[in-house]
Amino acid sequence: MHLLASIWMMAVLISAFPASADDRQVLFREDFANLDSWKPFTFPKIKSHSTYTIERTGNEHILRAESSASASAIVYKDSFSVSDFPRVKWRWKVKNLYAKGDVRTKEGDDYPIRVYIMFEYDPDKAGFGESIKYGFAKSLYGEYPPHSSLSYIWSSKDDPEKFVVSPYTDKAVMVLLEKGPAKVGTWVDEEIDILADYQKAFKVKPPARARIAIMNDSDNTGESAVSYVEYIEVFK
């Protein structure tokens, strides 16, 4: 009886601990040895683009994102199923924030770093009006714009809310992971659940597939900032 009780107690203790990193099923991990898996993403009306380069120190390499009254992003070339791989983790750092940054206004809608989850538009599931709108956008830009997006940001100011609808469109929700200057200059680890966050932000289930993008933008505030990403990983 003592042996059975010991076995039962051991099983309870083991189940109380989360799975180790080795138990994760990783779809991809980007360590930024190069940018071969990424492509530029620019905006038609913004001519000054942010820069994305690999910064090396010995055998170490990180992504450096820099903007100066500019805006553009880099997008991972492959999309993925958000139901099969709903979790993302990364490590980032900012050198400075924007004095005029404000998540609730168009004039302040700039962030020294953000990680986008851009959900793909599916024409087979669109209504008539949406089909017309997205078809017109594709004729202008050569491809469909995202259906919707979650933008995980480092906000310049503190804010009582974690989820804030973009001042430009209700198809984009800002998720304030970091707020204010307290951690500026230090590496910060983040981990998010796409499915849970989308449900909280939009009150519906997300589209089936998405892409990841990284951006440092300052076109609205006219300021400058440098930020870094050490790695990014998509897993379940």
Side-chain angles (χ1 to χ4, degrees):
M1 185 68 179
H2 177 71
L3 177 60
L4 290 176
S6 297
I7 293 173
W8 177 84
M9 181 61 69
M10 182 63 70
V12 170
L13 289 173
I14 291 173
S15 65
F17 289 94
S20 69
D22 292 337
D23 293 327
R24 295 197 306 266
Q25 295 184 35
V26 177
L27 177 63
F28 72 84
R29 178 185 172 98
E30 175 61 81
D31 290 306
F32 296 108
N34 54 59
L35 291 175
D36 292 350
S37 297
W38 301 77
K39 62 181 180 179
F41 184 91
T42 59
F43 304 93
K45 296 182 179 180
I46 300 176
K47 295 183 178 181
S48 184
H49 299 156
S50 304
T51 60
Y52 301 89
T53 55
I54 303 301
E55 192 168 285
R56 302 180 188 278
T57 304
N59 294 326
E60 298 180 353
H61 32 75
I62 58 176
L63 174 69
R64 175 188 171 101
E66 184 172 1
S67 71
S68 181
S70 61
S72 66
I74 54 172
V75 182
Y76 197 77
K77 293 178 180 178
D78 296 330
S79 66
F80 63 97
S81 166
V82 296
S83 59
D84 291 339
F85 296 93
R87 303 194 70 86
V88 186
K89 64 184 297 186
W90 65 86
R91 180 176 293 131
W92 60 7
K93 178 172 69 171
V94 299
K95 291 184 71 173
N96 63 282
L97 301 175
Y98 297 128
K100 301 175 187 176
D102 186 345
V103 70
R104 296 184 180 275
T105 69
K106 291 182 178 180
E107 295 78 13
D109 186 44
D110 285 336
Y111 312 97
I113 192 67
R114 58 172 124 188
V115 173
Y116 272 111
I117 308 296
M118 302 193 305
F119 299 87
E120 292 187 347
Y121 166 75
D122 185 350
D124 293 333
K125 295 183 179 180
F128 178 75
E130 193 173 53
S131 296
I132 297 297
K133 181 174 67 174
Y134 276 83
F136 178 72
K138 184 179 181 182
S139 70
L140 288 178
Y141 307 124
E143 60 182 354
Y144 290 120
H147 170 275
S148 51
S149 67
L150 290 172
S151 183
Y152 294 90
I153 65 170
W154 194 312
S155 175
S156 293
K157 298 178 180 179
D158 197 1
D159 191 283
E161 303 296 331
K162 182 178 180 180
F163 297 88
V164 178
V165 177
S166 166
Y168 284 96
T169 172
D170 60 5
K171 289 285 191 177
V173 171
M174 325 304 287
V175 187
L176 284 66
L177 289 186
E178 302 299 331
K179 305 176 183 181
K183 299 178 184 177
V184 166
T186 62
W187 286 106
V188 181
D189 293 294
E190 311 286 3
E191 183 171 331
I192 57 104
D193 183 324
I194 298 171
L195 299 180
D197 287 345
Y198 197 95
Q199 184 70 42
K200 291 175 184 177
F202 294 100
K203 312 305 180 189
V204 295
K205 292 182 179 179
R209 301 189 67 81
R211 279 187 168 84
I212 287 182
I214 298 171
M215 186 161 80
N216 178 346
D217 63 315
S218 56
D219 57 304
N220 294 306
T221 60
E223 300 179 53
S224 300
V226 176
S227 55
Y228 304 92
V229 181
E230 183 179 304
Y231 74 89
I232 191 164
E233 182 177 288
V234 177
F235 64 99
K236 67 183 302 182

